[in-house]
Amino acid sequence: MTILSTPITRACEFAGVPLETIMTPCKRKPWVRARWAFWYHLVIVEGWSLPRAARRVKYDHTTVLYGLRRYAAEALGTDMKFTLAEIRSAAQAPLLKLMETAA
């Protein structure tokens, strides 16, 4: 992954699958989890809005929100009722803790 790559490319690399897999409406568990990781990267890491991330892969923004919540619940241990702001805070917490220990 390079700094010059696009957000979509970086999100696909984060999810570990090509964009075609993300856009496929397949409901097999590995593909669904890859979509969740893709959306997490676009929205939380890259700062995209839910509607923008959803439009890019032809899904509804509420589907993206659900996927973000599921991914965050599994990866960060957050609650499924967390807002985007709470998920962002939970995602930043390990970085802040690391910075505190390094200082």
Side-chain angles (χ1 to χ4, degrees):
M1 184 177 342
T2 66
I3 294 173
L4 299 176
S5 60
T6 67
I8 295 293
T9 304
R10 289 190 297 266
C12 286
E13 289 175 0
F14 180 78
V17 294
L19 185 58
E20 296 78 30
T21 301
I22 300 297
M23 295 184 73
T24 303
C26 179
K27 294 186 180 185
R28 289 177 46 211
K29 214 173 241 188
W31 290 19
V32 171
R33 290 182 192 285
R35 273 195 292 275
W36 295 347
F38 174 84
W39 291 328
Y40 175 87
H41 186 85
L42 278 184
V43 175
I44 302 302
V45 177
E46 299 288 342
W48 284 29
S49 68
L50 290 173
R52 182 180 179 196
R55 277 192 309 269
R56 181 59 184 91
V57 290
K58 297 180 172 87
Y59 279 86
D60 185 76
H61 75 281
T62 55
T63 303
V64 174
L65 178 59
Y66 176 80
L68 281 173
R69 286 177 171 162
R70 287 294 304 263
Y71 184 84
E74 290 181 8
L76 305 172
T78 60
D79 190 89
M80 282 294 291
K81 294 180 182 178
F82 271 24
T83 64
L84 278 180
E86 292 170 322
I87 292 171
R88 282 189 179 104
S89 293
Q92 291 174 350
L95 295 174
L96 295 174
K97 189 178 268 187
L98 181 64
M99 290 172 57
E100 288 173 0
T101 58

